[in-house]
Amino acid sequence: MLLAFAADGQSPCRGPHAAALALANDSLTRLVAVGFSNDTDAKPLYAHALGTRALTAVYALDRNRMSSHERRCVRDVLAVAGQRLGDWQGDDGGCGYVPRAPRSASSCTLFAAAALTDLRDAGLLDGAGTSSRAGRSLASARALATRSHV
């Protein structure tokens, strides 16, 4: 929900739905701060990556309207979120459904890479090494897929 409204320029600080978005933002911040389940069936990487992207989008829209304390709190949560995404990477640079999964999944890697890119674009995380490893993993998967269709 936050991502959709952010795409329209609405946030917890602006727009006709600001109050509802503020509640959603607070709830999501708590969830991302605590972390999601490591249950493979729950596929927590998707929730973590999307939650990180939504909070980053809201931060990018509202950071100039936040107090320094609010900015610091959001940056702290998102720094940990970015670190967690890096911790989910396997040796091949890809991500699986849970941290350090024995096998990477391209969709998980794409979700993680998108969240890392958003964090970098918002000036919240360098993440160059993590993003680079994810890119190599995706390029390798793409090359394998291309070879298997030839």
Side-chain angles (χ1 to χ4, degrees):
M1 174 176 90
L2 285 169
L3 276 173
F5 281 94
D8 187 43
Q10 295 186 53
S11 70
C13 291
R14 63 177 91 183
H17 305 287
L21 293 172
L23 291 173
N25 190 68
D26 291 347
S27 294
L28 185 58
T29 299
R30 284 190 297 278
L31 286 170
V32 170
V34 170
F36 293 90
S37 163
N38 284 338
D39 176 11
T40 305
D41 292 334
K43 299 181 177 165
L45 178 96
Y46 296 119
H48 183 74
L50 284 172
T52 300
R53 293 191 77 192
L55 293 176
T56 302
V58 168
Y59 174 82
L61 284 172
D62 287 348
R63 70 176 143 217
N64 293 332
R65 295 177 178 194
M66 294 176 176
S67 69
S68 60
H69 174 74
E70 289 170 322
R71 277 193 304 275
R72 187 174 29 262
C73 289
V74 173
R75 283 194 311 262
D76 289 350
V77 168
L78 290 172
V80 170
Q83 180 62 47
R84 281 190 190 128
L85 288 168
D87 291 345
W88 285 47
Q89 281 189 311
D91 293 335
D92 66 349
C95 297
Y97 294 113
V98 294
R100 296 282 190 195
R103 206 175 100 195
S104 296
S106 295
S107 62
C108 291
T109 305
L110 282 168
F111 270 67
L116 290 166
T117 297
D118 289 351
L119 287 166
R120 184 193 65 222
D121 291 349
L124 294 165
L125 180 73
D126 176 12
T130 307
S131 294
S132 177
R133 287 191 305 276
R136 284 193 302 272
S137 174
L138 291 169
S140 175
R142 190 171 36 252
L144 286 172
T146 301
R147 276 187 245 134
S148 70
H149 291 303
V150 174

